[in-house]
Amino acid sequence: KVADKYGNSDDKRNMARLEKELEKTIASKDSDLLQSRIDETDIFYFSILHKLPEYWVYRFQHLRDHRKNEIKDTQRADELISYGERSIRINDVETLKAVVRGLGELLPIGQQGDIKFYPERPQ
C-alpha cells in the first residue's frame, strides 16, 4: 500500500478510514456512493505520490519517452522537456511538477489519462 510505504501517520489513519468506508459502501450496494468513494481513494492515493520527487521524475520520463509522439505542439513539448531535464539535474522538483503538468496538458483530450490528478490537492 502506498500509504504504508510512503505516507505519514495521518496518511495511514486516513487510509484505514477510507478502507472501512469503502467496505461499508460495497456492502450497501450503492453504486453512486461507491464511485464517490473510489474517486476519494484515487485522490488520496495521488496526494501521497505527489509528495515524492521520484513520482514526478517517473511521470516526466514516461511523458518524454512514451507519450511525446502524441503531442501536436512539438516545439512546446521540446521546450518543456528541456526544462524538465534541467530540473532533474538541479533537483528542482517544483519546476519539474510544472513541466509534467504542462506536458500532460499538451496531450490530446481523451489521452490525458490521470492528468486530472496532476494538480496539487490541498493538504
Side-chain angles (χ1 to χ4, degrees), residues 98-117:
V99 166
V100 168
R101 290 186 193 103
L103 286 170
E105 290 170 359
L106 291 175
L107 291 169
I109 300 296
Q111 299 296 313
Q112 295 177 343
D114 63 357
I115 188 75
K116 67 182 178 180
F117 298 112

Side-chain angles (χ1 to χ4, degrees), residues 25-90:
T25 303
I26 290 169
S28 77
K29 300 183 192 230
D30 181 337
S31 61
D32 290 336
L33 184 56
L34 180 59
Q35 186 58 56
S36 176
R37 295 285 187 242
I38 290 169
D39 292 345
E40 185 180 354
T41 302
D42 285 346
I43 290 168
F44 175 71
Y45 170 81
F46 280 97
S47 75
I48 293 172
L49 290 180
H50 284 177
K51 298 175 191 176
L52 306 173
E54 55 266 38
Y55 168 79
W56 295 100
V57 171
Y58 167 78
R59 294 304 304 165
F60 170 74
Q61 291 171 340
H62 176 76
L63 288 165
R64 180 194 64 197
D65 298 342
H66 302 289
R67 305 293 302 273
K68 184 181 175 204
N69 62 334
E70 300 171 42
I71 295 173
K72 300 291 184 221
D73 187 348
T74 57
Q75 182 177 355
R76 179 67 179 143
D78 288 340
E79 183 179 298
L80 286 169
I81 288 168
S82 178
Y83 288 141
E85 290 169 345
R86 181 179 183 280
S87 298
I88 291 170
R89 278 194 309 277
I90 66 171

Side-chain angles (χ1 to χ4, degrees), residues 12-22 40:
K12 291 172 186 171
R13 278 192 298 277
N14 284 332
M15 187 69 238
R17 178 188 56 79
L18 283 171
E19 286 174 342
K20 287 177 185 173
E21 289 176 2
L22 196 55
E40 185 180 354

